[in-house]
Amino acid sequence: MRRPLTLTVLLASALVLGPAACGGAPESDSAAGGDKKITVYSGRSESLVKPLLERFSQESGITVEARYGNTAAMAGQLLEEGDRSPADAFFAQDAGALGAVAKQGMFAPLPDDLTGKVPETYRAGSKEWVGVTARSRVLVYNPDLVQEADLPASVFDLTKPEWKGKVGVAPTNASFQAFVTAIRVQHGEEKAKEFLTGLQANEPQIREGNGPILEEVDGGKIAIGLINHYYLGELAKERGTTPDTLKAKLHFFPGGDTGALVNVAGVGVLKKAAEDPDVRAFVTYLLGADAQKYFAEQTYEYPVVDGVAPPAFVPPLDQLTAPDVDLNDLDELEATIALIKESGLVP
Amino acid sequence: MRTRTRRPLLLALSVVTVAVALVPVAYLTVRTAEAGWARIAEEVLTVRTARLAVLTVGLAAVVTAACTVLGVASAFLVVRTDLPGRRLFAVLAALPLAVPTYIAAFAWRSSVDGFEGFWAAALVLTLCSYPYVFLPVAAALVNADPSQQEVSRSLGRSAWRTFTGVTLRQIRPAYAGGALLVALYVLSDFGAVSIVRADTFTRAVFVAFDLGFDRTGALVLSTVLVVLTMLVLAGETVTRRRGARYAHLGGTRRTAARQRLGRARWPAAAALAVLAGLALGVTALSLGLRMLQGVSRPGAWAEVAAAMGNSLWLSLAGAALTMALALPLGLLTAKAPGPVATVLDRLAYVSHALPGVVIGLSLVSFGVTLAYPLYQTTWLLALGYAALFLPLALAAVAGAAAQAPPVLEDVARSLGRGPVAVLRTVTLPLVLPGIGAGAALVFLTCMKELPATLLLRPTGVDTLATELWTHTTVAAYAAAAPYAALLVLLSSVPAWLLTARTGILTAETSR
């Protein structure tokens, strides 16, 4: 019989390679604090965050146990875990997820010397989370298909007939949803509903995420699309080139238009780790010049701390005319979701 | 009467198995109850839910029908005809099992403009799932007693009428079991439907999570999936007929004479080649292109090797635990059939159609509240895999046990052997190949699983699937491609073992 032998070989090789996976039971150690070890739940991609965490560990001597996952599922995991969560800090992709966890009272307020580093616009009023980097909503366009002069002045123009079938949208994406909440906050329910209904009636090109929209705009398959600014940097990096050599160009809606909403990725500290100096060192590091520079260069986001240069292919943060929307108001999600569902943009 | 003495133990162990399978359902029930009736009504009693239900059931029906036709046809061509290149086609027909639907859908979507919607999802899911029907049917065709067909032909029935009247009846348990797995898989699939934007319940569940972190809404919607699953299971149980069981033990095994295809020989081979090209070629080409176009690279080879080791180890743990849990219940349904066994068996299927993220969260909740020492260890993840994939193992064990005629055990008992000796010398040897097949299938399915793995894995442990996901979320496709290729390559080993087990490859040489 050859089969058992093959199975044995498979089994043996797994046993040899396997021990790497033998994670021990979770350690809820940090209540004591100061043991040079922290656990971070990261809703941000491992390939972006891991190198930074390694640098932090090298410099501080603090070991970081990092758990990576989808931001939304990870927020769900934290809520399930409640008080027994092994996590000390949650590094999330968007303010909405941080807000959902904060709402359950799981975060401890951050000390003023940390929150003070970040402009008020980019942190929780309750100080339960703080923005680490900022990202702007933009309109990406293909100059072969749309002249710069013809670009819409406002995101609300996208419901007009001239854009029928031409707009790429990712309605299941959390950043799209934050944008819709911003419309509600800035202009009211009626306007938001009208916009979504108009957008859906205009036969948008719906995609699963911002990445595919950008690729298709760059490839000339879609004329324009609503995405976040840093995707241009990511695509250029994958192609081994710089953003300015890509076909796709970015258009920042002017004059405080909701279409130019600036949102954040940020971090919150779990209650049990409120006093842990290692966790505080970690948050301090994220807001330090080194980490901020890393984000600007590697993830193409805006630094939120003074004195660090933004990525080269976008105008600096203070020159953007972001809409006057308080990020703390973006946790009113239920009505937004109801509107998006009602519009028929998502199943 | 036979084997009554063994039942209490089997029954007790089977109850444990079912308890594991029901952890997610218990969690859903608790959370849904917490949501309150008003919220449930608001979420479920809507036009949207009705629309999703119709689309989901429709997709499951279309894919199941297509997989049954493709699976039975290709198995018949490979096993029972003089098709050229039969062995190659047998292996090619099993290999799509190694391709995760999210990779296949991504490849199709980036290769074909406007590839989206219901029919796009149906195509990808069919191409990825027809091996679930092909494998058991091929095995059944190899093992089926040819004398019945010979009698039918000698009595003057045509080849076609013999096929529909005799052969199809003989292999009914095989294709019905495979079709059931396909239907439940379609209900649970997230990868393909999200990428090609086909509206189904599972996609709505994931969207609810992503959009506004709406855990309650997602979980309430999931209960509808449980109801749909129960309807599918009930339907399958009602239409199930019990046939007599035949087996060849020892002696020589006879395979039916191959039918001559004549002029249809090459067209048939061409059709199978096209099928393999669609199921495997498109994905391979697209991955290759991505790899050449991008400049991102995976981390050090040590990282790739670690991810591979982790994938193997976690999947092995998952497969081992799943098989250990499946064995008693599989034996019970085969050896002591009856209403109790049927109900237990069906209950073990209920979680199979739930989205991985729901299974993941339910075990997070279970681990945190009831099994904290296990939380974020390999074993809780293995338990999650077991809750998800028990049906794959059960189908294999029950299928193998059902081919062992009970009379053999009765004879052994009547000749004075004790129950343990009978189990060891008669039952296990007969069921062992089934266990191997089930383990291989569970193993490769664990390797492809993503949402539950992300939620339950030990902190800091990366697998091929999680690395693939990590890189694609930041558009680093070239860095992701080696992980995808390794995932498919490693999965093709168990897929190949499964093909070999059907006996197609060896039946060829004995001819």
Side-chain angles (χ1 to χ4, degrees), chain A residues 36 38 56 59-62 64 111 114 117 269 273-288 291:
Chain A
K36 292 283 172 193
I38 62 173
F56 167 68
E59 288 173 24
S60 63
I62 297 167
V64 182
L114 280 178
K117 294 185 176 194
V269 171
E275 303 300 326
D276 189 335
D278 301 336
V279 178
R280 192 165 299 181
F282 172 67
V283 179
T284 310
Y285 182 80
L286 288 180
L287 298 174

Side-chain angles (χ1 to χ4, degrees), chain B residues 289-325:
Chain B
L289 267 178
R290 289 267 171 191
M291 210 159 158
L292 293 175
Q293 281 168 352
V295 298
S296 62
R297 290 292 171 258
W301 286 109
E303 261 173 48
V304 181
M308 189 173 93
N310 289 338
S311 273
L312 288 175
W313 162 247
L314 292 175
S315 308
L316 198 68
L321 188 63
T322 310
M323 291 320 294
L325 287 168

Side-chain angles (χ1 to χ4, degrees), chain B residues 366-385:
Chain B
F366 171 79
V368 163
T369 50
L370 296 174
Y372 200 61
L374 286 183
Y375 190 54
Q376 292 184 356
T377 65
T378 302
W379 296 108
L380 196 69
L381 177 55
L383 210 60
Y385 286 148

Side-chain angles (χ1 to χ4, degrees), chain B residues 299-354:
Chain B
W301 286 109
E303 261 173 48
V304 181
M308 189 173 93
N310 289 338
S311 273
L312 288 175
W313 162 247
L314 292 175
S315 308
L316 198 68
L321 188 63
T322 310
M323 291 320 294
L325 287 168
L327 196 55
L329 182 52
L331 287 178
L332 185 78
T333 40
K335 301 292 154 204
V340 177
T342 305
V343 168
L344 286 177
D345 176 66
R346 301 285 92 172
L347 282 177
Y349 275 70
V350 169
S351 293
H352 190 51
L354 283 174

Side-chain angles (χ1 to χ4, degrees), chain A residues 1-3 6-7 10-15 17-28 39-48 50 54 65-86 94-98 100 104 171-174 176-177 204-208 211-212 215-216 221 231 234-241 333-334 336-337 340-341 344-347, chain B residues 27 31 39 43 48 51-52 106 109-110 113-114 116 190 193-195 197-200 203-204 207-215 219 221 290 293-297 303 305-306 308-310 312-314 316 357 361 364-365 367-370 372-378 433 436 440 443 453-462 466-467 469-471 473-479 490 493-494 496-497 500-501 506:
Chain A
M1 293 267 281
R2 280 202 333 262
R3 233 173 294 120
T6 330
L7 276 174
L10 204 73
L11 205 138
S13 57
L15 285 179
L17 292 163
C22 299
E27 289 144 54
S28 43
T39 303
V40 174
Y41 279 17
S42 169
R44 307 207 55 188
S45 175
E46 178 164 6
S47 47
L48 298 178
K50 198 176 178 186
E54 279 169 2
E65 293 269 326
R67 189 173 178 81
Y68 298 93
N70 164 295
T71 287
M74 203 148 240
Q77 178 161 24
L78 274 167
L79 296 178
E80 283 300 339
E81 290 173 343
D83 296 341
R84 304 195 81 174
S85 177
D94 55 84
L98 291 167
Q104 295 299 311
T172 55
N173 204 275
F176 180 83
Q177 155 220 309
Q205 301 287 327
I206 294 178
R207 295 295 177 268
E208 198 48 31
E215 280 194 29
E216 292 192 36
K221 290 179 188 163
Y231 283 89
E234 283 180 359
L235 183 66
K237 191 200 239 174
E238 172 68 4
R239 301 251 173 98
T241 172
L333 298 172
E334 278 175 27
T336 302
I337 295 151
I340 298 180
K341 278 184 192 166
L345 285 165
V346 300
Chain B
Y27 167 80
R31 284 283 180 269
R39 183 71 210 273
E43 200 65 56
R48 173 174 172 256
R51 189 178 146 264
L52 286 174
F106 179 75
R109 175 99 207 218
S110 50
D113 284 351
E116 63 175 28
F190 167 66
V193 296
S194 71
I195 290 172
R197 297 203 317 113
D199 296 347
T200 65
R203 178 158 180 253
V207 166
F209 270 113
D210 282 348
L211 209 62
F213 320 102
D214 180 13
R215 204 166 35 129
L219 296 178
L221 275 182
R290 289 267 171 191
Q293 281 168 352
V295 298
S296 62
R297 290 292 171 258
E303 261 173 48
M308 189 173 93
N310 289 338
L312 288 175
W313 162 247
L314 292 175
L316 198 68
V357 67
L361 280 181
V364 166
S365 172
V368 163
T369 50
L370 296 174
Y372 200 61
L374 286 183
Y375 190 54
Q376 292 184 356
T377 65
T378 302
F443 179 85
T453 310
L454 281 175
L455 281 165
L456 296 173
R457 62 179 165 159
T459 297
V461 169
D462 291 318
T466 66
E467 287 280 9
W469 169 80
T470 293
H471 287 101
T473 50
V474 292
Y477 300 116
L490 280 184
V493 174
W496 182 81
L497 285 176
R501 200 196 80 79
T506 42

Side-chain angles (χ1 to χ4, degrees), chain A:
Chain A
M1 293 267 281
R2 280 202 333 262
R3 233 173 294 120
L5 183 68
T6 330
L7 276 174
T8 314
V9 171
L10 204 73
L11 205 138
S13 57
L15 285 179
V16 172
L17 292 163
C22 299
E27 289 144 54
S28 43
D29 49 62
S30 35
D35 57 355
K36 292 283 172 193
K37 203 169 162 200
I38 62 173
T39 303
V40 174
Y41 279 17
S42 169
R44 307 207 55 188
S45 175
E46 178 164 6
S47 47
L48 298 178
V49 173
K50 198 176 178 186
L52 186 71
L53 296 185
E54 279 169 2
R55 270 196 229 174
F56 167 68
S57 292
Q58 265 176 9
E59 288 173 24
S60 63
I62 297 167
T63 312
V64 182
E65 293 269 326
R67 189 173 178 81
Y68 298 93
N70 164 295
T71 287
M74 203 148 240
Q77 178 161 24
L78 274 167
L79 296 178
E80 283 300 339
E81 290 173 343
D83 296 341
R84 304 195 81 174
S85 177
D88 295 314
F90 180 31
F91 189 17
Q93 184 89 286
D94 55 84
L98 291 167
V101 178
K103 246 187 189 167
Q104 295 299 311
M106 290 178 68
F107 287 144
L110 293 160
D112 291 344
D113 61 316
L114 280 178
T115 52
K117 294 185 176 194
V118 177
E120 217 172 319
T121 336
Y122 303 131
R123 58 177 150 93
S126 59
K127 299 179 184 170
E128 287 176 301
W129 54 262
V130 60
V132 172
T133 51
R135 56 270 302 274
S136 176
R137 292 292 290 171
V138 292
L139 187 78
V140 62
Y141 67 100
N142 185 316
D144 290 350
L145 302 173
V146 183
Q147 297 294 312
E148 200 181 339
D150 298 335
L151 287 171
S154 163
V155 73
F156 296 106
D157 293 340
L158 296 181
T159 58
K160 290 184 178 169
E162 65 251 44
W163 300 113
K164 193 166 190 142
K166 292 183 177 168
V167 191
V169 184
T172 55
N173 204 275
S175 48
F176 180 83
Q177 155 220 309
F179 154 67
V180 173
T181 314
I183 302 181
R184 288 178 43 233
V185 171
Q186 215 182 0
H187 302 284
E189 303 292 326
E190 269 315 300
K191 180 88 171 175
K193 192 172 175 177
E194 191 190 308
F195 172 72
L196 290 173
T197 318
L199 192 65
Q200 168 71 354
N202 227 5
E203 296 167 17
Q205 301 287 327
I206 294 178
R207 295 295 177 268
E208 198 48 31
N210 292 312
I213 294 178
L214 172 59
E215 280 194 29
E216 292 192 36
V217 169
D218 191 66
K221 290 179 188 163
I222 305 181
I224 57 175
L226 291 172
I227 62 169
N228 293 343
H229 80 272
Y230 53 87
Y231 283 89
L232 199 71
E234 283 180 359
L235 183 66
K237 191 200 239 174
E238 172 68 4
R239 301 251 173 98
T241 172
T242 51
D244 50 301
T245 60
L246 292 180
K247 195 78 186 164
K249 302 290 173 220
L250 299 186
H251 171 57
F252 291 79
F253 289 109
D257 191 80
T258 326
L261 177 74
V262 175
N263 203 340
V264 293
V267 66
V269 171
L270 279 288
K271 273 191 170 152
K272 65 160 195 195
E275 303 300 326
D276 189 335
D278 301 336
V279 178
R280 192 165 299 181
F282 172 67
V283 179
T284 310
Y285 182 80
L286 288 180
L287 298 174
D290 278 358
Q292 293 285 308
K293 191 160 169 276
Y294 174 87
F295 286 118
E297 286 168 3
Q298 298 299 319
T299 70
Y300 311 101
E301 290 166 287
Y302 284 107
V304 291
V305 172
D306 275 348
V308 184
F313 66 96
V314 287
L317 197 52
D318 52 15
Q319 281 178 29
L320 296 183
T321 51
D324 186 18
V325 175
D326 186 347
L327 292 184
N328 288 293
D329 293 337
L330 296 187
D331 61 358
E332 292 287 313
L333 298 172
E334 278 175 27
T336 302
I337 295 151
L339 280 183
I340 298 180
K341 278 184 192 166
E342 210 177 291
S343 71
L345 285 165
V346 300

